[in-house]
Amino acid sequence: MLLRIDHVGIACHDLEEKIEFYESTFGLTVVSREINEEQGVREAMLHVADGAQGASYVQLMEPLHPDTVVGKFLAKRGEGVHHIGYGVADVAKALEEVGAKGVRLIDERPRHGSMGASIAFLHPKDVGGVLTELVQTARH
Ligand code: CMX
Ligand code: CO
């Protein structure tokens, strides 16, 4: 079901500062910047590598307001890894299969993610404390 690690989602207070850090420290390049009102984040995708099943990224996220998922995470835990996004071929099918195994789905249906992807989240309490995102990349 899981084709690759699509991205690691990292929560931060200052997006521009963290972009600058990842660029100057690791030589990564920003390939997309977006504001996702629905998810309450301002975010950037930085390209890490290309693999046979597609690319991998670092997703840096700054909350739009304190009263958002990432805003609350920062207040509670501080900056750091917030979620892991795995690439899947068909996110609706993957949700159905994972849901049938008893994992709580945060999203019953896919939502809009970065760069036109369809995404859905699984509850961290049912995935060993890891907030898990399934990502179906947009077709080009
Ligand atoms: N990773 C692991 N555990 C987490 C977590 C995270 N990112 N966020 C919350 N939790 C844990 C908390 O520690 C808490 O556990 P305890 O009860 O043991 O303390 C429990 O989950 C409930 O946490 P909460 O602070 O009360 O938070 P909520 O229940 O309000 O929200 C969650 C948690 C997972 C439902 C919410 O973060 C969510 O809906 N996430 C999906 C959407 C999202 O993350 N969007 C931003 C990214 C967008 C993108 O990638 O494009
Ligand atoms: Co993500």
Side-chain angles (χ1 to χ4, degrees):
M1 181 190 298
L2 306 181
L3 303 176
R4 69 186 192 285
I5 294 174
D6 181 273
H7 64 272
V8 176
I10 297 173
C12 64
H13 291 293
D14 185 334
L15 181 63
E16 294 311 318
E17 182 194 282
K18 281 297 178 292
I19 288 173
E20 161 62 25
F21 174 82
Y22 275 82
E23 284 177 340
S24 63
T25 308
F26 301 117
L28 297 189
T29 306
V30 174
V31 291
S32 152
R33 284 173 191 263
E34 289 177 41
I35 289 179
N36 189 330
E37 296 277 354
E38 191 183 35
Q39 298 289 351
V41 293
R42 178 188 330 249
E43 55 138 312
M45 295 295 262
L46 290 82
H47 181 256
V48 176
D50 288 312
Q53 300 289 346
S56 306
Y57 306 90
V58 170
Q59 179 183 28
L60 299 176
M61 307 175 294
E62 176 191 313
L64 290 175
H65 315 285
D67 189 22
T68 56
V69 155
V70 175
K72 286 190 273 181
F73 177 90
L74 280 172
K76 210 164 159 180
R77 299 202 190 185
E79 293 188 314
V81 174
H82 178 258
H83 65 271
I84 307 286
Y86 293 103
V88 296
D90 182 335
V91 66
K93 184 159 167 268
L95 271 181
E96 202 177 300
E97 285 176 26
V98 173
K101 295 192 176 166
V103 174
R104 243 172 310 160
L105 310 178
I106 292 174
D107 301 306
E108 297 281 342
R109 293 150 164 270
R111 292 170 179 265
H112 296 294
S114 314
M115 300 188 290
S118 291
I119 62 168
F121 286 90
L122 311 177
H123 204 286
K125 289 286 165 197
D126 289 349
V127 194
V130 180
L131 176 57
T132 302
E133 177 183 351
L134 303 176
V135 183
Q136 180 182 341
T137 307
R139 301 232 172 274
H140 295 293

